[in-house]
């Protein structure tokens, strides 16, 4: 069984199965960001009766996060047919042998047997549920994450936005200064900026989390792991939206946010780029 080391790019192929009757739509963004710590969510499915009033909370987030809904009408009033459908689907996916692990999102103990069966196949089982989740299901998982803990850490949205605006103003100032550079400095990173393609505000909160989740104990993250986490959480992330042709150039230009180190690699002609969030940015958070 492959176990990604801390700071190493997580390569697990994961199936994310969500019980709409026993999960909250409000935590789905943070939940998928947590899943990205362990690998790629190759399959994302949610099970429930989406004609019911309770499941309507999910309708607004399914398309946004590319989650496939599996409609299941109740066969008998008071009986939950969703669990059976979700378990059958899980077993079908298990037998394809295309996955390294499963993420089961539910606070229902009915999935204890499923978690144990998946473990018997040597695959990872990550459980996501509320504090009330019975111990039987929690203990059947390799790792269980309480959804109460899946909240945006640090500042609120307004404060994060203020930090991002300040960061953007700093870059605009650097852009203006770069226009005065002589041709002798044409190799400077500022010359790699495509000024007309700067369309979006730099996602400081996402970048901060990406560094934290892909870094080792020393707080330094390798560029490859950092970039992989960004695209797993935000598949449309593209450094060209922020004026740079490469992620490395984007990172190097944001020295007001990142500390940069180039370290030797096995190839003497190449160096590995490492980055971490500056201490003053962490304090602001």
């Amino acid at each position: 069984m492959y176990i990604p080391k801390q700071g190493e790019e997580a390569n697990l192929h994961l199936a994310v199965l969500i019980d709409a009757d026993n999960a909250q739509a409000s935590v789905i963004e943070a939940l998928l960001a947590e899943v990205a710590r362990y690998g790629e969510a190759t399959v994302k499915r949610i099970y429930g009766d989406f004609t019911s009033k309770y499941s309507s909370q999910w309708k607004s987030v399914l398309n946004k996060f590319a989650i496939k809904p599996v409609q299941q009408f109740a066969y008998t009033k008071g009986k939950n047919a969703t669990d059976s459908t979700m378990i059958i689907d899980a077993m079908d996916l298990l037998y394809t042998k295309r996955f390294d692990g499963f993420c089961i999102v539910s606070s229902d103990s009915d999935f204890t047997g499923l978690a144990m069966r998946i473990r018997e196949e040597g695959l990872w089982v990550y459980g996501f549920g509320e504090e009330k989740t019975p111990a039987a299901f929690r203990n059947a998982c390799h790792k269980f994450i309480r959804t109460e803990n899946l909240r945006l850490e640090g500042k609120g949205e307004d404060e994060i936005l203020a930090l991002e605006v300040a960061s953007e103003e700093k870059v605009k100032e650097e852009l203006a200064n770069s226009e005065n550079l002589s041709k002798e400095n044409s190799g400077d990173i500022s010359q790699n900026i495509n000024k007309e393609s700067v369309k979006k505000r730099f996602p400081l909160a996402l970048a901060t989390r990406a560094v934290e989740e892909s870094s080792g104990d020393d707080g330094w993250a390798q560029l490859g792991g950092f970039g992989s986490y960004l695209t797993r959480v935000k598949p449309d992330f593209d450094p060209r939206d922020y004026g740079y042709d490469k992620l490395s150039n984007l990172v190097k230009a944001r020295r007001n946010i990142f500390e940069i180190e180039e370290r030797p690699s096995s190839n003497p002609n190449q160096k590995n780029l490492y980055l971490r969030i500056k201490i003053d940015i962490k304090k602001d958070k």
Side-chain angles (χ1 to χ4, degrees):
M1 183 187 297
Y2 170 75
I3 305 175
K5 299 176 183 177
Q6 187 175 23
E8 180 185 10
E9 180 183 344
N11 292 319
L12 299 180
H13 294 278
L14 302 172
V16 180
L17 308 180
I18 305 169
D19 176 8
D21 298 331
N22 285 285
Q24 298 294 324
S26 59
V27 301
I28 190 61
E29 182 172 5
L31 188 148
L32 292 176
E34 181 74 11
V35 170
R37 296 179 60 191
Y38 310 111
E40 178 186 354
T42 307
V43 165
K44 292 180 285 186
R45 297 181 185 174
I46 184 168
Y47 302 79
D49 181 1
F50 298 101
T51 64
S52 71
K53 185 180 297 186
Y54 180 81
S55 294
S56 63
Q57 60 170 322
W58 288 99
K59 293 178 182 178
S60 62
V61 301
L62 297 185
N63 286 337
K64 180 179 180 181
F65 297 105
I67 303 171
K68 179 181 177 181
V70 179
Q71 171 65 29
Q72 180 58 59
F73 294 103
Y75 296 127
T76 305
K77 188 175 181 180
K79 297 292 184 180
N80 189 353
T82 299
D83 294 0
S84 299
T85 303
M86 185 167 157
I87 291 170
I88 292 170
D89 252 17
M91 296 306 296
D92 286 344
L93 293 171
L94 176 66
Y95 291 143
T96 66
K97 298 188 181 298
R98 294 188 291 116
F99 301 94
D100 301 301
F102 283 72
C103 300
I104 302 173
V105 185
S106 179
S107 301
D108 194 336
S109 63
D110 289 350
F111 295 105
T112 302
L114 174 62
M116 294 172 65
R117 180 66 184 87
I118 294 171
R119 287 189 66 151
E120 289 176 358
E121 290 295 315
L123 275 62
W124 283 93
V125 181
Y126 298 97
F128 294 82
E130 297 177 352
E131 179 68 37
K132 66 182 182 181
T133 304
F137 175 52
R138 286 187 276 131
N139 293 334
C141 302
H142 286 96
K143 184 175 179 61
F144 183 84
I145 298 95
R146 288 187 293 276
T147 53
E148 288 89 348
N149 293 332
L150 296 180
R151 299 288 184 269
L152 290 176
E153 298 177 359
K155 291 183 173 291
E157 291 185 5
D158 291 342
E159 293 168 290
I160 290 175
L161 179 60
L163 281 172
E164 291 177 353
V165 169
S167 170
E168 203 64 26
E169 290 302 318
K170 178 70 174 176
V171 171
K172 286 179 180 178
E173 180 182 338
E174 291 170 356
L175 279 171
N177 292 336
S178 71
E179 294 176 350
N180 299 322
L181 292 176
S182 66
K183 292 182 179 179
E184 295 155 347
N185 293 327
S186 60
D188 188 86
I189 190 65
S190 59
Q191 297 298 318
N192 293 316
I193 299 170
N194 179 355
K195 301 178 194 52
E196 296 189 4
S197 70
V198 181
K199 307 170 187 175
K200 298 182 180 179
R201 177 171 291 119
F202 183 72
L204 178 60
L206 173 62
T208 301
R209 185 181 179 98
V211 171
E212 291 173 350
E213 299 298 351
S214 57
S215 64
D217 292 335
D218 58 358
W220 289 91
Q222 191 172 10
L223 182 68
F226 170 74
S228 294
Y229 183 89
L230 283 177
T231 53
R232 285 199 298 271
V233 174
K234 188 175 175 58
D236 64 346
F237 180 85
D238 189 331
R240 289 171 295 188
D241 286 335
Y242 309 100
Y244 297 87
D245 57 345
K246 296 180 181 178
L247 180 61
S248 58
N249 291 338
L250 172 60
V251 166
K252 289 177 181 178
R254 301 284 172 156
R255 292 183 183 272
N256 57 318
I257 297 174
F258 303 108
E259 292 182 51
I260 308 294
E261 270 191 12
E262 291 186 343
R263 301 179 185 177
S265 68
S266 55
N267 184 343
N269 297 320
Q270 285 185 329
K271 289 187 177 182
N272 290 326
L273 183 67
Y274 284 78
L275 62 148
R276 68 179 179 184
I277 300 297
K278 282 192 170 182
I279 294 176
D280 56 342
I281 297 291
K282 288 185 177 181
K283 286 180 179 178
D284 286 338
K285 284 189 72 187

